Amino acid sequence: MRIADDRIIAVGPADAVVAGAPDDDVSDLGEVALTPGLVNPHAHLELTCYAGRLEPADFWAWLWALVALRREPGQVERESAAAITGAWESLRSGVTCVGDISRRNLNWRGLRDVPIRKVCFVELLSLADHPPRDVDELKAAVAEVEEDELLTVGVTPHTPYTVQGPAIRESMLLADTLERPWCTHWAESREERAFLRGEADAFPEFVQAFLAQCQVASPKCEAFEFLEWCARGASPGALAHCNYLVPGDAERLAAAGHVVMYCPRAHRFFGHAPHSYREMLAAGVTVALGTDSAASNEDLALLKEAGTLLREDPQAPSAERLLEMVTRDAARALGLADRIGTLEAGKQADLVAFPVSAVSDNSVRELLEQTPAAERVWVAGRRVI
Ligand SMILES: [Zn+2]
């Protein structure tokens, strides 16, 4: 591989690629697998400070406990520091780009100084104590974010049960106007789907009380019909989870062109029913893998998400295909497919060297079986680990 400044300029056998280059400019990395930088499309880095604090549980029990933890004094300082810790932890595991959701739009300030590529998603949550709670506050928060070469702003209406439908729709259209990506959580639980269908008491009581407070009404339709209404006229976006599908949903998703972000270890943490990611892939949906937060996962090592599927799902796609789901397809989820996600001339030099026992046709499989920490990491051509 040959790089110049922040870009890849040639990929191929060493002899051909380095021909004519001065000796000082050539590095022999030894026995490593050189991969595109991993892209974690779905994380909440600010929750890294709650890693190990919450036991695996049903989603609602976990959420209730998380809300209490976050309310402990010093939340802003603690979570702002956690976003930075989480970003460095990500880099060390070979993640060079992260899609990070920040509840109060605080994370971008700290993340600007971390040499990781990031899409800082500003979250809209109607029932929150703090902005952004409506579309005007969302617009103001988005305008605050100072982008740079490595930092892109994004928009995320939280869920279809915590944001009013028209506001979800306006958020998606805002992302389009700004030419920035949007993501949201969708079809994460059975209760969410039942609520959207019109079952008024689907949620646990504490959630029902929140909903009454922010006046979110059920659209009385199926989850992906509602998504079609919200996203009508907007560019496709990225959907975290999609844990509960009914027949026909995968085809609807494929037709709409949204990317689904499946978080295998968080999925297991919450004890959800088996995920339909293979059915989605078969229907033509782009499925990327993400970690979700460290408060519902062991860590932020994205490679382990792919490794978990390879190890635990007898019908998992090949190791090579799984690697694409944490690189190329995840870049698509963040609207960055033209810049990162593959090793191609013209792309940004976001690269990872992982140690392997010996370079062979089996190296990708070995990588996913062993999931080592990264040996060296480059972002935009600059070595950061
Ligand atoms: Zn999430």
Side-chain angles (χ1 to χ4, degrees):
M1 158 126 11
R2 190 155 176 177
I3 63 179
D5 301 321
D6 59 345
R7 275 164 211 277
I8 299 170
I9 54 169
V11 181
D15 291 349
V17 169
V18 303
D23 281 355
D24 288 359
D25 285 357
V26 179
S27 320
D28 181 355
L29 303 178
E31 296 292 318
V32 298
L34 190 63
T35 74
L38 307 181
V39 180
N40 184 359
H42 188 65
H44 304 256
L45 296 178
E46 63 197 8
L47 301 184
T48 304
C49 53
Y50 308 116
R53 299 279 308 272
L54 298 162
E55 292 296 312
D58 153 80
F59 177 70
W60 304 108
W62 173 87
L63 184 62
W64 178 248
L66 177 70
V67 168
L69 267 184
R70 296 189 79 173
R71 282 193 180 139
E72 285 176 6
Q75 182 191 0
V76 167
E77 297 73 18
R78 180 172 67 241
E79 294 185 3
S80 296
I84 295 169
T85 308
W88 278 107
E89 189 188 313
S90 300
L91 278 173
R92 283 192 294 273
S93 73
V95 171
T96 56
C97 179
V98 62
D100 176 51
I101 294 178
S102 176
R103 171 67 285 277
R104 297 197 211 179
N105 194 34
L106 297 170
N107 297 358
W108 68 270
R109 293 172 203 278
L111 291 178
R112 208 169 30 163
D113 298 329
V114 182
I116 191 169
R117 197 179 295 277
K118 51 263 171 185
V119 177
C120 293
F121 285 102
V122 182
E123 186 176 69
L124 171 62
L125 178 58
S126 303
L127 53 74
D129 302 336
H130 299 270
R133 294 159 296 195
D134 58 38
V135 176
D136 286 338
E137 288 180 349
L138 177 68
K139 284 181 184 165
V142 167
E144 228 174 69
V145 179
E146 292 167 26
E147 295 185 314
D148 61 28
E149 287 298 302
L150 298 182
L151 193 161
T152 306
V153 71
V155 173
T156 180
H158 179 241
T159 72
Y161 59 94
T162 52
V163 181
Q164 292 95 343
I168 295 177
R169 179 165 169 66
E170 278 189 66
S171 312
M172 292 169 175
L173 294 172
L174 171 66
D176 253 18
T177 306
L178 298 168
E179 298 182 344
R180 295 294 181 271
W182 63 263
C183 72
T184 182
H185 299 85
W186 216 267
E188 185 167 7
S189 66
R190 284 196 186 89
E191 292 79 4
E192 174 190 324
R193 287 205 73 134
F195 164 79
L196 295 178
R197 235 180 267 128
E199 291 174 33
D201 54 357
F203 289 121
E205 269 173 35
F206 80 96
V207 181
Q208 290 186 43
F210 276 140
L211 299 197
Q213 196 184 309
C214 68
Q215 296 161 356
V216 175
S218 167
K220 299 197 166 58
C221 65
E222 282 299 336
F224 292 98
E225 264 177 71
F226 184 46
L227 179 64
E228 278 171 12
W229 180 84
C230 292
R232 192 168 26 100
S235 299
L239 307 171
H241 311 308
C242 299
N243 293 335
Y244 293 92
L245 263 56
V246 299
D249 283 346
E251 291 71 21
R252 271 177 188 264
L253 280 167
H258 302 303
V259 177
V260 170
M261 304 182 290
Y262 167 36
C263 305
R265 292 186 297 163
H267 190 93
R268 185 178 57 191
F269 181 98
F270 292 123
H272 288 301
H275 198 275
S276 315
Y277 80 101
R278 280 187 273 97
E279 290 76 358
M280 292 188 212
L281 289 172
V285 179
T286 300
V287 180
L289 304 181
T291 60
D292 217 344
S293 85
S296 60
N297 204 340
E298 292 135 45
D299 51 49
L300 298 170
L302 182 65
L303 201 58
K304 292 185 189 170
E305 306 297 339
T308 297
L309 292 184
L310 188 68
R311 195 173 57 246
E312 295 183 3
D313 180 0
Q315 296 176 66
S318 68
E320 287 75 9
R321 184 73 194 85
L322 289 167
L323 185 62
E324 287 173 346
M325 291 163 75
V326 291
T327 52
R328 184 192 68 184
D329 300 343
R332 200 171 290 167
L334 297 178
L336 294 172
D338 58 338
R339 305 188 67 197
I340 58 168
T342 55
L343 301 181
E344 282 176 280
K347 288 252 172 116
Q348 288 284 296
D350 290 11
L351 312 167
V352 189
F354 287 106
V356 290
S357 57
V359 175
S360 74
D361 291 347
N362 223 13
S363 291
V364 176
R365 173 166 271 276
E366 180 189 328
L367 196 60
L368 266 53
E369 283 170 352
Q370 310 283 339
T371 60
E375 199 170 279
R376 304 183 202 208
V377 178
W378 298 260
V379 177
R382 182 180 151 214
R383 185 157 167 208
V384 295
I385 297 285

